[in-house]
Amino acid sequence: MALNLDSVGKKLGPVSKDYNWKDVVLYSLGVGAGFSDLEYCYEKNLKVIPSFSIATIFDFISHYAATSNVNLAGILHGEQDLILHHPIPVEGTLTTEGKITHIYDKGAKKGALVIGESETRHSNGKKLFTSILTLFSRFDGGFGGENAPAETFVFPDRKPDFEITETPSLDQPLIYRLSGDVFALHVDQEFAKMAGFEKPIMHGLCTYGYSCRALMKSLTPGQPEKVRRLKCRFSKPLYPGDPIKVQIWKTDNRTAVWKTVNAKTGEDVITNGIFEFGEIPKKEIRFDGQVAVVTGAGGGLGRVYALELAKRGAKVVVNDLGGSQDGSGGGSSTPAQKVVEEIKALGGEAVANYDNVATPQGGENIVKSAIAAFGTVDILINNAGILRDKSFIKMEPENWQSVLDVHLTGAFNVTKPAFAVMREKGFGRIVMTTSAAGLYGNFGQTNYSSAKMGLVGLMNTLKLEGKKYNINVNTVAPIAASRLTEGILPPDLFAKMKPEYVSPLVLFLCSRDCGVTGNIYNAGMGFYNRAAVVTGPGTTLGDGVNPPSLETIVDHWKPISSLEKGKLYFELNEQVGVAINAFNAPAPPAEGKNEAKKIASVAAVFDAMPAAFNAKAAEGVDVVFQYHISGDGGGDWNCAIKNGSCQINAGVHEKPTCTLKMAAKDFIDMIGGVLPSMQAYTSGKLKIEGDIMKSQLIGKLFKLN
Ligand code: NAI
């Protein structure tokens, strides 16, 4: 009988199961626990081994086999991923729902893979765990389907950090099967022979349970609640009585990779293991009710962003033109459509869009697709990209232009209509995609680097225009294995660069929880850091009235070039303000002179202002300076200067030319000459909003010290 390919996407369950402490203890004994780890075997203060979760959903798992119609004589557990959301209580009722998400064809003699994903909730209302299971069906291959995407897994090139050896007893499967998996292969001599084994084999999940105990012993001793994820591939059968060795490499303080080998033969029994551990996050980041547009999402990074957003509740527009790597050719609807199917198979919502980001009409259409399908846009990831690498001297204008068109103009084309929707609703998250080639340079990519750095400029200004509408704009510089990097990266590096390492950072930038705007992050291979334009402290040369000579510049090259104590500026005004204020700093007090002038209070400064006003300097000037002085003795004052006259009033003016904000103590220090105004400004003690250029008049209009 053939596999039922229509079973993909069909909802399975709910299937419920009651369990109590005896089930928990029986499982623990089945996976080798005993007096040496009594906390899992004794009802007093009983703890649950996290891999017990899989045993509780055995009835549900059997639906995968029945619904997909696999040949039962040839099925083996291929892979298991278990993600724990909350610790497993010692008793209760579990309810599991899920679906078959993929059926892959490995080839006529190689078999088929049936992949199912399920979620299990406890009667206490909590989602306890997600299981992603791969059934390997040895006799069902060759139906003409697609093969599973190739996966690479690299173990560290060093000795394991932990090794734990145990020997399951000859009778182990007889105990383990009482937890639910009563498949004849693990108990019946005749059946085992028919399936091609010399005798009944261990349950793969029993060895998985042994491995889980070894991992906990090494990394979370006595704390099963800290186990977050247990993933692996079952690679070889194991006979009862054969010793096993669990080998563990800790890769950081939350993750380890592991394998379990047959200690007699040295063969891997379980491999490609991932173990995640640590505190359960207090809050899960979700995108329920939000609509995301991801451009270029038919493959590579964009596909993973789209899938991950959908898994966390977002409705996704999967845009992809389906073109070639260099953007040539007619395009195809297949890549975007396939990703939409993947999302739907996981129970998510998505629509495909095949427009070209490089045209204004394409950009409009992409946003229209979102509005037509889901009513709005909350999130936009500008990700579509092509490459046309050439050394500069060989760079044809066409290769220059087409790369700028897709990356930079493409982002403009989609962001413009999306920004309008976001502005209207007062919320938006936009992510631009730059590249290390743009941030730092890369030989042969002048077109690409320019486009990618152009996106940083687009972000820098858009963040300011979006700020009051709660639209955050950030930029990622990814490093990931994709067709764009296939020819550029060395093959061994390429294997370590899953887009899945980039997506968590990008998803955070898309989330409501992300408060930052205008930032750039490098992300890839598990390494993340921030990149930024840093500005050195600089120096003044000359008197600010006459330009310095070229030789003076040369003589002062060191302080001009220094980035020591460099600063980040959020907008042009901040940096230009420093230059404008550079010569405004009062001259340092002459030695031995009593420098500071006594200032009684903030109010006294404003009382003294009319007398300090220089009417001559105010001819033709029409400005309002608003002061907001915080802290003890502070308040709001404004100085309105028009036609050579000056009015000082307490309170807030409705149309100030610029607003100066300062703490009362700093204000008194600045007026008294203790705190130079430039230092006040560069240190952030004095903040100036509005027309910063006009604030320069203050020094001329008032002679307070
Ligand atoms: P990819 O080639 O797998 O994905 C890019 C997608 O954009 C393709 O599916 C392509 O069909 C689509 N696309 C191209 N032109 C389009 C257009 N005019 N309209 C709509 N869709 C279009 O490449 P990958 O690596 O996933 O790249 C994603 C983004 O990340 C790109 O912007 C790339 O420049 C950037 N990036 C990637 C790096 C990496 O290491 N993979 C490094 C730095 C930046």
Side-chain angles (χ1 to χ4, degrees):
M1 267 200 299
L3 281 173
N4 173 12
L5 302 178
D6 291 338
S7 58
V8 174
K10 280 212 185 110
K11 188 172 162 238
L12 301 177
V15 172
S16 290
K17 182 181 169 67
D18 298 329
Y19 71 104
N20 62 31
W21 69 269
K22 287 188 182 162
D23 299 299
V24 172
V25 172
L26 185 59
Y27 174 82
S28 301
L29 297 172
V31 299
F35 276 111
S36 61
D37 35 12
L38 194 62
E39 56 205 351
Y40 302 111
C41 304
Y42 179 24
E43 65 273 27
K44 196 169 148 195
N45 300 327
L46 183 64
K47 292 177 180 173
V48 182
I49 299 174
S51 52
F52 168 69
S53 345
I54 299 299
T56 65
I57 61 168
F58 191 74
D59 290 347
F60 176 84
I61 289 173
S62 62
H63 284 291
Y64 291 142
T67 313
S68 61
N69 207 23
V70 287
N71 181 339
L72 288 182
I75 57 167
L76 291 170
H77 204 134
E79 291 186 22
Q80 179 63 53
D81 195 356
L82 172 67
I83 299 137
L84 292 132
H85 308 292
H86 288 99
I88 316 292
V90 292
E91 61 183 11
T93 303
L94 300 175
T95 305
T96 303
E97 288 184 84
K99 58 179 57 164
I100 292 172
T101 57
H102 301 84
I103 297 184
Y104 289 118
D105 186 5
K106 291 173 76 68
K109 296 211 171 106
K110 294 183 175 162
L113 300 176
V114 177
I115 302 180
E117 180 164 340
S118 63
E119 283 191 349
T120 300
R121 291 184 174 271
H122 189 265
S123 38
N124 66 13
K126 290 196 170 138
K127 182 166 91 176
L128 288 194
F129 58 90
T130 300
S131 153
I132 304 170
L133 175 148
T134 304
L135 275 183
F136 175 40
S137 176
R138 288 189 291 156
F139 306 138
D140 283 313
F143 58 88
E146 209 179 301
N147 199 351
E151 259 199 37
T152 37
F153 193 99
V154 189
F155 282 103
D157 189 15
R158 61 170 200 269
K159 278 191 165 171
D161 300 316
F162 305 92
E163 282 191 322
I164 292 194
T165 305
E166 275 196 87
T167 306
S169 89
L170 282 167
D171 301 325
Q172 204 68 42
L174 300 179
I175 308 173
Y176 182 80
R177 66 194 297 271
L178 299 180
S179 286
D181 183 350
V182 290
F183 191 28
L185 180 61
H186 307 290
V187 62
D188 189 308
Q189 190 73 33
E190 291 307 309
F191 190 98
K193 284 232 160 86
M194 184 187 76
F197 298 103
E198 99 197 26
K199 59 182 180 179
I201 58 172
M202 288 276 285
H203 299 73
L205 281 179
C206 176
T207 317
Y208 181 78
Y210 271 87
S211 309
C212 182
R213 284 179 44 240
L215 285 155
M216 284 198 297
K217 209 174 202 173
S218 309
L219 297 162
T220 63
Q223 293 178 294
E225 69 281 4
K226 286 203 170 158
V227 177
R228 305 290 326 285
R229 183 182 184 200
L230 190 61
K231 181 178 192 254
C232 69
R233 171 177 293 175
F234 300 96
S235 53
K236 271 252 151 56
L238 178 79
Y239 288 112
D242 281 356
I244 52 171
K245 182 157 58 179
V246 184
Q247 300 184 310
I248 303 162
W249 292 260
K250 199 173 164 193
T251 48
D252 60 42
N253 57 7
R254 301 182 69 84
T255 320
V257 292
W258 60 278
K259 62 158 106 165
T260 301
V261 298
N262 181 328
K264 199 167 79 183
T265 64
E267 285 174 329
D268 290 352
V269 177
I270 299 181
T271 189
N272 294 11
I274 296 175
F275 182 70
E276 291 177 6
F277 55 100
E279 301 295 338
I280 288 177
K282 298 210 171 25
K283 192 174 162 210
E284 189 189 8
I285 294 184
R286 302 275 316 167
F287 299 93
D288 300 294
Q290 294 192 298
V291 177
V293 171
V294 186
T295 69
L301 286 155
R303 169 182 163 271
V304 176
Y305 302 154
L307 279 165
E308 296 301 322
L309 281 163
K311 279 188 200 162
R312 287 174 184 260
K315 296 170 187 158
V316 186
V317 176
V318 179
N319 157 263
D320 206 296
L321 177 75
S324 58
Q325 197 220 42
D326 69 359
S328 59
S332 146
S333 59
T334 319
Q337 191 49 44
K338 269 193 172 173
V339 175
V340 168
E341 279 158 22
E342 281 188 84
I343 290 175
K344 287 191 173 162
L346 292 169
E349 280 188 69
V351 291
N353 169 283
Y354 317 115
D355 276 288
N356 181 355
V357 299
T359 67
Q361 192 56 52
E364 287 282 347
N365 288 348
I366 294 167
V367 173
K368 276 186 190 156
S369 300
I371 310 269
F374 307 125
T376 190
V377 183
D378 301 278
I379 294 160
L380 166 62
I381 305 179
N382 285 304
N383 167 78
I386 59 167
L387 280 184
R388 291 200 178 187
D389 296 356
K390 285 259 157 66
S391 63
F392 186 59
I393 217 72
K394 294 185 190 145
M395 181 70 67
E396 304 294 343
E398 192 222 318
N399 291 331
W400 171 269
Q401 196 55 51
S402 51
V403 166
L404 262 89
D405 285 349
V406 174
H407 291 273
L408 182 55
T409 313
F412 165 77
N413 289 334
V414 190
T415 305
K416 187 148 184 277
F419 191 82
V421 177
M422 293 172 178
R423 211 172 78 129
E424 192 66 29
K425 66 192 291 181
F427 177 85
R429 296 286 181 265
I430 298 172
V431 178
M432 306 289 177
T433 308
T434 186
S435 159
L439 296 176
Y440 313 112
N442 197 26
F443 192 94
Q445 293 196 310
T446 45
N447 51 357
Y448 184 70
S449 308
S450 308
K452 287 306 200 189
M453 211 47 190
L455 285 158
V456 173
L458 174 56
M459 169 195 76
N460 279 340
T461 291
L462 200 59
K463 79 178 178 206
L464 300 176
E465 298 191 15
K467 202 162 172 242
K468 77 171 178 200
Y469 304 103
N470 190 15
I471 302 173
N472 290 352
V473 192
N474 291 289
T475 296
V476 64
I479 298 188
S482 77
R483 65 177 197 169
L484 278 195
T485 41
E486 217 168 352
I488 300 173
L489 297 167
D492 56 331
L493 255 190
F494 189 80
K496 292 183 193 166
M497 295 181 172
K498 285 188 188 177
E500 281 80 356
Y501 284 110
V502 179
S503 59
L505 181 122
V506 170
L507 257 69
F508 177 62
L509 296 178
C510 293
S511 70
R512 283 191 193 94
D513 302 66
C514 174
V516 301
T517 189
N519 285 3
I520 309 165
Y521 297 95
N522 290 302
M525 298 178 285
F527 182 71
Y528 310 88
N529 61 3
R530 186 175 163 198
V533 174
V534 176
T535 309
T539 184
T540 51
L541 296 178
D543 57 6
V545 180
N546 303 299
S549 70
L550 168 55
E551 286 69 24
T552 311
I553 295 286
V554 175
D555 286 348
H556 294 84
W557 196 241
K558 208 168 162 198
I560 294 173
S561 300
S562 171
L563 284 176
E564 207 179 319
K565 296 198 179 146
K567 286 196 68 172
L568 305 181
Y569 294 111
F570 190 70
E571 58 175 307
L572 167 148
N573 271 345
E574 290 180 1
Q575 200 282 325
V576 175
V578 172
I580 293 171
N581 279 300
F583 284 97
N584 274 358
E591 228 166 288
K593 248 189 153 186
N594 185 5
E595 67 278 12
K597 198 177 157 194
K598 264 250 170 286
I599 306 287
S601 67
V602 174
V605 174
F606 290 98
D607 289 345
M609 264 177 134
F613 181 60
N614 176 358
K616 229 172 153 224
E619 268 169 34
V621 175
D622 183 359
V623 287
V624 178
F625 301 122
Q626 177 69 53
Y627 288 85
H628 176 75
I629 310 298
S630 56
D632 265 3
D636 293 306
W637 286 266
N638 61 75
C639 316
I641 293 149
K642 200 169 183 176
N643 301 332
S645 74
C646 163
Q647 286 244 342
I648 310 285
N649 292 309
V652 178
H653 195 281
E654 59 179 13
K655 265 194 156 181
T657 312
C658 59
T659 302
L660 295 89
K661 295 183 174 173
M662 241 182 150
K665 184 185 169 305
D666 297 332
F667 182 71
I668 287 175
D669 284 351
M670 185 176 78
I671 300 296
V674 177
L675 174 65
S677 57
M678 179 185 169
Q679 192 185 324
Y681 184 77
T682 52
S683 64
K685 288 181 175 171
L686 165 62
K687 293 205 169 73
I688 308 177
E689 291 169 4
D691 189 340
I692 195 168
M693 307 288 181
K694 293 269 168 58
S695 69
Q696 299 314 300
L697 293 170
I698 297 173
K700 289 198 187 91
L701 294 170
F702 299 96
K703 288 287 161 230
L704 278 163
N705 55 16

